[in-house]
Amino acid sequence: MNAIEIRDLKKSFRGMYALNGLNMTVPVGSIYGFIGENGSGKSTTEKLICGHLIKDSGTIKLFGKDYTDAGVRVKVGALIENAGCFPGSSVYTNLMMQAINLGIENPDDEILRVLKIVRMEEHAKLKFKKCSLGMKQRIGIAMALLGSPVLLILDEPINGLDTDGMRIMREILVDITKNYNCTVLISSHILGELEKIATHYGIIRQGKMIQELTAKEMESRARIFVSIKTKDMQGALKILKQKHNNVRQEGEYIKVYDIEDTENIIRYLIENGHIVNEVKKNKVGLEEYYIELMSKKEGE
């Protein structure tokens, strides 16, 4: 069973389609990285799943049931845009108001549970306005976790965080999926961070899903390249282009793609009078893969 199944989903605003036949499959237990340019339809999709918008057509199923089913709606937690907290109230008070609103039994125990998950139990008395951006994002996740949802939808939760804040957020999301039986749908522009935790990816463009793949599939498709620095970069580039088809200079490095044999490259450059100052082998990551995919024209 899949946590989310979307088929031929359409949503328009003033005659313009934000989503135009979107298909999407999010497996149970996954961390699904939802990727796309601004205006591609990510937030619209998440808001439709949460019931914040009304679709034009298509189907949305959550755990095999229609997304409007009351029994399945209570299993969904979400943090879209911001936590919606009262700035002058404490972290605990904000969570208590939400717990009461949701009709949660034993709210004190539930608040302690979610604060522990997001590592905020020591800050329960702190006023929301005194919290850092990273803390506010974690409070928003804590609110979304009230009632033990099995599907968590997060819209750009790591944007604007510092390095430590992103690390903590990564650890929390992995913990949620592994230890709390929760599937996570997360959108983000910070692809390097997303790559560290996502098990599946969905890449959207102009309201349509152009590719879905697992992290393992992405890894297997990633191209190998060798990065090189020499004293005479232009001369070395010219020489390498005579031997290899896919060579280009990017920033401070010459990059030779689709090749792993660094020794032969170094030997070839030395034989042609070039001293190699630096060489390293790399694999194209999610960000490079995404950029290359998005640069292709539709249908390629």
Side-chain angles (χ1 to χ4, degrees):
M1 182 184 293
N2 294 309
I4 302 172
E5 287 186 12
I6 293 175
R7 297 292 177 264
D8 199 27
L9 184 62
K10 294 185 178 182
K11 175 62 183 176
S12 61
F13 298 96
R14 298 179 181 179
M16 298 289 291
Y17 277 104
L19 297 177
N20 192 10
L22 180 76
N23 294 307
M24 183 179 195
T25 304
V26 179
V28 169
S30 65
I31 299 179
Y32 186 102
F34 197 23
I35 306 167
E37 300 169 321
N38 287 334
S40 60
K42 301 188 303 298
S43 294
T44 298
T45 302
E46 292 173 329
K47 289 175 181 177
L48 283 165
I49 294 170
C50 293
H52 298 171
L53 296 172
I54 298 173
K55 61 185 173 66
D56 292 357
S57 61
T59 61
I60 305 172
K61 289 188 177 181
L62 305 178
F63 302 97
K65 297 183 179 180
D66 188 83
Y67 77 117
T68 60
D69 182 273
V72 80
R73 290 239 56 86
V74 298
K75 297 179 180 180
V76 180
L79 173 60
I80 296 178
E81 294 179 354
N82 57 66
C85 292
F86 292 94
S89 298
S90 68
V91 172
Y92 177 87
T93 300
N94 273 292
L95 285 166
M96 178 57 76
M97 286 188 283
Q98 180 69 350
I100 292 170
N101 182 51
L102 294 172
I104 292 174
E105 296 182 6
N106 303 316
D108 286 306
D109 293 340
E110 179 65 359
I111 290 169
L112 181 61
R113 184 186 77 87
V114 297
L115 284 175
K116 187 175 181 180
I117 293 173
V118 301
R119 305 179 185 182
M120 286 288 293
E121 63 267 37
E122 296 180 2
H123 304 286
K125 295 180 180 180
L126 187 65
K127 287 186 177 181
F128 184 77
K129 64 183 179 183
K130 298 289 186 181
C131 294
S132 67
L133 176 60
M135 292 167 71
K136 288 177 179 177
Q137 291 295 80
R138 283 186 273 156
I139 294 162
I141 291 176
M143 295 186 80
L145 288 171
L146 288 168
S148 300
V150 291
L151 173 62
L152 191 62
I153 298 172
L154 305 174
D155 186 23
E156 308 281 0
I158 58 178
N159 282 15
L161 302 187
D162 60 21
T163 301
D164 196 49
M166 287 191 284
R167 176 188 59 80
I168 294 171
M169 188 65 74
R170 290 198 311 267
E171 292 173 357
I172 289 169
L173 296 179
V174 171
D175 183 42
I176 288 169
T177 55
K178 285 188 175 181
N179 300 315
Y180 295 93
N181 191 35
C182 195
T183 302
V184 176
L185 168 62
I186 173 174
S187 65
S188 178
H189 287 101
I190 307 175
L191 304 188
E193 288 298 309
L194 198 59
E195 187 175 14
K196 296 174 183 177
I197 59 171
T199 61
H200 296 72
Y201 301 103
I203 302 174
I204 185 174
R205 179 168 61 186
Q206 297 177 355
K208 292 183 178 181
M209 188 70 73
I210 61 171
Q211 190 169 98
E212 286 188 299
L213 70 167
T214 67
K216 288 184 178 179
E217 287 171 336
M218 203 283 288
E219 177 75 12
S220 68
R221 297 180 190 184
R223 300 165 68 194
I224 300 292
F225 64 93
V226 176
S227 298
I228 301 163
K229 272 188 180 181
T230 69
K231 187 175 181 179
D232 178 10
M233 293 288 281
Q234 290 303 313
L237 181 64
K238 184 178 180 180
I239 287 293
L240 286 169
K241 282 185 174 181
Q242 294 174 8
K243 187 175 179 65
H244 301 285
N245 293 325
N246 201 341
V247 182
R248 57 181 179 264
Q249 185 168 351
E250 297 178 9
E252 298 179 347
Y253 291 92
I254 295 170
K255 293 185 179 180
V256 186
Y257 284 87
D258 304 321
I259 189 166
E260 296 187 50
D261 194 343
T262 57
E263 290 184 8
N264 276 339
I265 292 175
I266 295 169
R267 187 182 301 113
Y268 179 70
L269 285 170
I270 292 172
E271 288 173 353
N272 285 275
H274 291 277
I275 298 173
V276 178
N277 298 327
E278 184 179 344
V279 61
K280 55 185 178 180
K281 186 165 65 177
N282 305 87
K283 180 175 282 191
V284 171
L286 176 60
E287 185 170 357
E288 293 86 356
Y289 181 84
Y290 168 76
I291 291 170
E292 186 174 342
L293 182 65
M294 296 300 282
S295 68
K296 295 179 180 178
K297 294 180 181 178
E298 193 169 347
E300 284 187 351

